[in-house]
C-alpha cells in the first residue's frame, strides 16, 4: 500500500469536498477495490473518512477535519517548509506565519537557506517598498496608479490592474491589464514611480499565456570575448553555449532577438567583445558607438 496514494486521496477529498470511488480510481489509475481498501486504511489510521451510499453518495471527510502531520513523510515535510521559506523570503508575511506554525508542528527547522532582496544597489528602501505595493495589489486585486517611462522616452500617468509579478533575465516586470488601452501590458518595475494603491478592485483575470503572444524573431548571435572580460560571457550565456580558446578568449553563440537590449548589452562590454556574426549587427553597433563618441567627445 502506498502512503503517497493515501495522501493523494485525502488531499483530493479535502480539495473537492467529496469524491466517488470510480472518480478516485480514475484519478490515481487503480481499481475501485483498491480505493475502498485505501479508505479503510485511512479510517483505521484515525482519519474521519466515511462513505455514503446512493446516487448522490460518495466518500467524505468530517467538516472540521485538520490534516495530521503523520500523513507526510520526513522528506515531504522538509519540502513543504522549504517552499514556504522561499515564499517568506519575498517578504510575504503570511508565508512567514505559516512557516513558523508548520515548523513547530513538524518539529523541523530548515535554517536560513534563502535570502531575497528586490532592491538595486543604493535603492533598497524605494525598490522594496515598490515591490510590496505591487504584491498587495496583485493578491488583493486592487487597481494602482503610477508614472511610467516607456521605450519611446515618454513619461506619463497610468492606471493598471496588476495581475502577476514576473522575474525575467535579471529584471522584474509587472504583467497587468490596462483599462485605458483595453489590453494586456508588461511594465518594467525600474521604470515605475509614484505608485498609489487604490481602494478600487477588479475581477480576477488571467494574463495570456506566452504561447498566445506574437512570436519574437531571433537570430544566431556569435560573440568573441577577450580573456580580460571572459567571465562576462557567463552572465548571459549557458555553459553549453560557450567555447574556450587556447589563448583564454571565449566564443559564445545563441539564438537571440536583435533588439535595443542586445545592442545596449554589447555596448556595455566595450572593446572586450567582437561580433563574429551576423555582419549587420556589427554595423549597427559601430554606428551607435560613433553616435556615442560624437555626443561625448572632448
Amino acid at each position: 500500500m502506498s502512503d503517497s496514494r493515501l495522501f493523494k486521496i485525502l488531499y483530493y477529498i479535502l480539495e473537492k469536498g467529496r469524491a466517488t470511488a470510480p472518480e478516485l480510481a480514475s484519478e490515481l489509475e487503480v481499481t475501485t477495490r483498491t480505493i475502498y481498501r485505501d479508505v479503510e486504511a485511512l479510517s483505521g489510521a484515525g482519519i474521519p473518512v466515511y462513505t455514503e451510499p446512493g446516487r448522490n453518495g460518495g466518500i467524505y471527510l468530517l467538516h472540521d477535519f485538520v490534516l495530521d502531520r503523520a500523513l507526510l513523510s520526513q522528506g515531504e515535510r522538509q519540502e513543504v517548509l522549504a517552499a514556504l521559506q522561499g515564499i517568506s523570503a519575498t517578504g510575504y508575511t503570511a508565508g512567514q506565519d505559516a512557516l513558523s506554525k508548520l515548523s513547530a508542528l513538524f518539529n523541523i527547522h530548515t535554517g536560513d537557506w534563502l535570502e531575497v532582496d528586490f532592491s538595486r544597489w543604493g535603492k533598497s528602501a524605494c525598490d522594496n517598498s515598490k515591490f510590496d505595493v505591487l504584491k498587495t495589489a496583485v493578491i488583493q486585486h486592487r487597481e494602482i496608479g503610477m508614472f511610467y517611462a516607456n521605450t519611446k522616452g515618454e513619461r506619463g500617468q497610468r492606471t493598471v490592474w496588476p495581475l502577476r509579478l514576473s522575474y525575467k533575465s535579471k529584471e522584474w516586470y509587472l504583467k497587468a491589464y490596462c483599462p485605458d488601452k483595453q489590453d494586456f501590458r508588461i511594465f518594467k518595475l525600474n521604470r515605475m514611480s509614484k505608485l498609489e494603491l487604490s481602494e478600487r478592485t477588479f475581477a480576477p483575470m488571467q494574463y495570456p499565456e506566452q504561447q498566445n503572444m506574437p512570436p519574437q524573431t531571433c537570430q544566431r548571435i556569435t560573440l568573441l570575448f577577450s580573456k580580460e572580460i571572459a567571465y562576462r560571457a557567463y552572465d548571459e550565456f549557458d555553459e553549453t553555449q560557450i567555447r574556450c580558446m587556447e589563448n583564454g578568449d571565449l566564443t559564445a553563440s545563441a539564438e537571440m532577438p536583435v533588439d535595443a537590449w542586445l545592442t545596449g548589452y554589447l555596448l556595455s562590454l566595450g572593446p572586450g567583445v567582437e561580433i563574429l556574426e551576423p555582419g549587420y549587427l556589427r554595423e549597427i553597433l559601430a554606428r551607435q558607438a560613433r553616435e556615442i563618441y560624437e555626443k561625448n567627445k572632448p
Side-chain angles (χ1 to χ4, degrees):
M1 183 179 299
S2 170
D3 290 341
S4 176
R5 191 174 67 243
L6 294 180
F7 177 73
K8 289 177 181 178
I9 291 173
L10 183 56
Y11 179 78
Y12 190 90
I13 300 173
L14 281 169
E15 183 180 28
K16 304 293 184 180
R18 65 175 290 277
T20 64
E23 182 182 348
L24 288 169
S26 175
E27 180 75 18
L28 301 176
E29 299 181 346
V30 295
T31 65
T32 54
R33 180 173 295 184
T34 298
I35 294 298
Y36 284 123
R37 284 202 301 265
D38 288 345
V39 170
E40 290 180 5
L42 286 170
S43 180
I47 305 300
V49 59
Y50 65 96
T51 60
E52 286 188 355
R55 182 177 179 182
N56 297 319
I59 303 169
Y60 297 84
L61 284 163
L62 288 182
H63 181 68
D64 58 352
F65 170 72
V66 177
L67 184 64
D68 192 275
R69 64 178 183 177
L71 292 170
L72 296 174
S73 68
Q74 181 78 1
E76 288 170 334
R77 295 178 206 172
Q78 290 176 334
E79 288 299 321
V80 169
L81 294 179
L84 282 173
Q85 191 170 35
I87 294 173
S88 64
T90 68
Y92 183 46
T93 55
Q96 181 61 50
D97 293 341
L99 176 64
S100 299
K101 292 176 181 178
L102 284 179
S103 293
L105 175 65
F106 294 158
N107 195 26
I108 296 175
H109 299 282
T110 58
D112 295 330
W113 69 277
L114 179 66
E115 178 180 351
V116 178
D117 187 347
F118 297 109
S119 65
R120 294 164 288 175
W121 295 108
K123 299 277 187 177
S124 58
C126 177
D127 284 353
N128 283 322
S129 174
K130 182 188 300 180
F131 189 90
D132 191 57
V133 169
L134 292 173
K135 176 194 67 179
T136 301
V138 171
I139 293 173
Q140 299 181 4
H141 311 297
R142 291 167 63 180
E143 183 179 279
I144 64 164
M146 64 175 176
F147 279 85
Y148 189 73
N150 63 22
T151 55
K152 298 179 181 179
E154 303 165 340
R155 184 174 180 272
Q157 193 167 11
R158 306 288 292 270
T159 298
V160 300
W161 299 349
L163 304 178
R164 185 185 304 165
L165 286 165
S166 175
Y167 187 77
K168 176 71 173 178
S169 187
K170 304 176 185 176
E171 296 288 352
W172 279 101
Y173 299 88
L174 174 69
K175 294 183 175 181
Y177 181 81
C178 183
D180 292 336
K181 304 290 184 180
Q182 294 189 351
D183 200 2
F184 296 92
R185 293 286 189 271
I186 296 180
F187 302 93
K188 197 171 185 178
L189 263 64
N190 288 345
R191 298 177 187 165
M192 298 178 183
S193 61
K194 300 182 179 179
L195 269 65
E196 293 186 1
L197 185 62
S198 172
E199 293 299 323
R200 291 189 294 271
T201 60
F202 58 89
M205 62 179 69
Q206 289 292 327
Y207 191 88
E209 295 299 326
Q210 189 65 34
Q211 56 264 32
N212 297 328
M213 304 300 287
Q216 196 169 23
T217 303
C218 294
Q219 172 79 46
R220 170 64 61 176
I221 309 296
T222 303
L223 306 175
L224 174 64
F225 289 80
S226 66
K227 60 184 178 181
E228 288 77 16
I229 66 162
Y231 66 94
R232 292 285 302 275
Y234 294 95
D235 290 342
E236 302 298 337
F237 294 90
D238 185 76
E239 186 177 10
T240 60
Q241 300 169 325
I242 298 173
R243 187 166 61 91
C244 299
M245 313 290 285
E246 290 186 2
N247 64 352
D249 294 347
L250 297 180
T251 60
S253 184
E255 295 281 340
M256 304 177 69
V258 179
D259 53 15
W261 177 90
L262 178 61
T263 54
Y265 166 69
L266 294 175
L267 287 169
S268 74
L269 298 172
V273 69
E274 178 185 351
I275 301 170
L276 301 182
E277 61 172 342
Y280 73 87
L281 184 56
R282 296 171 63 97
E283 298 174 5
I284 293 175
L285 201 67
R287 183 174 66 252
Q288 292 190 7
R290 282 194 296 269
E291 292 173 358
I292 293 173
Y293 172 75
E294 290 298 327
K295 287 185 177 180
N296 296 277
K297 65 182 180 181

